Amino acid sequence: MNAPRENVLPPHTWQLLCDFLYSSGSRLSVVEAADQAIKAWIAAQKKGEEPLRGYQWKQLFLPEGTQVRMEYLQRCYFAQVSGDQLMFGPRAVTPRGMTLAIAGDGRNAWRDLWIRMPGERQWCNAGLLRSRQIAHGNPAAKPPETAAEALSSAAKAMGQALTAAVTLIEHVDHQSTTVLERRLPKYRRETDLLEDVH
């Protein structure tokens, strides 16, 4: 319990975080940013221990928090997966029930509904999303069967997100170094250099 503390982050990661905070103009200290990231990671891991909730729509699994949108007569209508139900206003509906409530009969829910999964920025057509999952044999089409699978999936997603963040930070660092190097006198043409006039 009284073991000496050591820096939790490798020096390279620590420097990447410092550089990113500086270049992004963040007011957080490195310790505060690392603290927030670690707490968010712990919360995600704890959440991964809970059974994954969501709505099973035939072959397509919509995790809790998924948003569903339909446009009809130049107006957008929204529903959200809450627990194990798709909530449209105050009531639970099926995707077909949502299209019926909005536009009446003659609509195809796979064609007319658009999905935005939790954490995603882009909307995707429901039929296209279903086709992608079937074509790729995507295990995301069904919820994980055990807490261990859910935890493993969450850890894999977090690892991919951290890798992407480090790659982005390295790219920004490289770009800023390149811009600075171009301004050094050894990289300038003689005609670009101004002479001192007394």
Side-chain angles (χ1 to χ4, degrees):
M1 199 71 173
N2 293 329
R5 291 184 175 205
E6 57 185 55
N7 193 354
V8 217
L9 297 174
H12 178 71
T13 306
W14 184 269
Q15 188 60 49
L16 284 174
L17 183 56
C18 290
D19 294 344
F20 177 76
L21 291 172
Y22 177 77
S23 66
S24 67
S26 174
R27 295 177 185 237
L28 291 175
S29 71
V30 178
V31 174
E32 291 169 332
D35 180 56
Q36 286 184 12
I38 291 168
K39 286 177 180 173
W41 182 82
I42 290 171
Q45 297 306 307
K46 286 182 178 178
K47 191 172 185 181
E49 294 171 4
E50 300 168 7
L52 186 61
R53 300 191 68 184
Y55 183 81
Q56 186 70 47
W57 179 14
K58 300 196 188 268
Q59 305 92 335
L60 188 61
F61 179 73
L62 306 175
E64 186 171 24
T66 299
Q67 294 182 331
V68 180
R69 180 187 80 197
M70 179 177 171
E71 187 174 335
Y72 180 68
L73 297 177
Q74 298 180 342
R75 186 170 172 211
C76 286
Y77 299 85
F78 296 91
Q80 182 163 335
V81 176
S82 179
D84 297 326
Q85 298 179 323
L86 177 61
M87 301 300 294
F88 180 56
R91 61 189 178 117
V93 294
T94 64
R96 169 93 173 124
M98 181 179 172
T99 61
L100 285 171
I102 294 168
D105 208 10
R107 307 304 287 200
N108 180 324
W110 292 110
R111 182 192 66 220
D112 294 330
L113 296 181
W114 290 75
I115 309 291
R116 185 166 69 183
M117 298 285 193
E120 296 288 325
R121 292 184 179 189
Q122 301 295 322
W123 292 88
C124 185
N125 176 265
L128 180 61
L129 194 59
R130 174 182 65 168
S131 298
R132 284 181 188 164
Q133 288 192 351
I134 291 171
H136 295 96
N138 191 342
K142 61 179 175 122
E145 295 177 7
T146 66
E149 287 177 4
L151 186 60
S152 173
S153 178
K156 182 179 176 184
M158 178 169 249
Q160 290 171 342
L162 288 172
T163 301
V166 167
T167 303
L168 180 62
I169 290 169
E170 288 174 344
H171 175 72
V172 168
D173 183 49
H174 174 72
Q175 289 297 99
S176 65
T177 304
T178 305
V179 169
L180 289 175
E181 285 178 357
R182 279 191 244 142
R183 294 177 182 239
L184 293 175
K186 68 179 183 179
Y187 292 104
R188 295 204 172 224
R189 295 179 295 224
E190 282 185 36
T191 57
D192 289 344
L193 297 175
L194 297 175
E195 294 183 20
D196 291 333
V197 178
H198 296 285

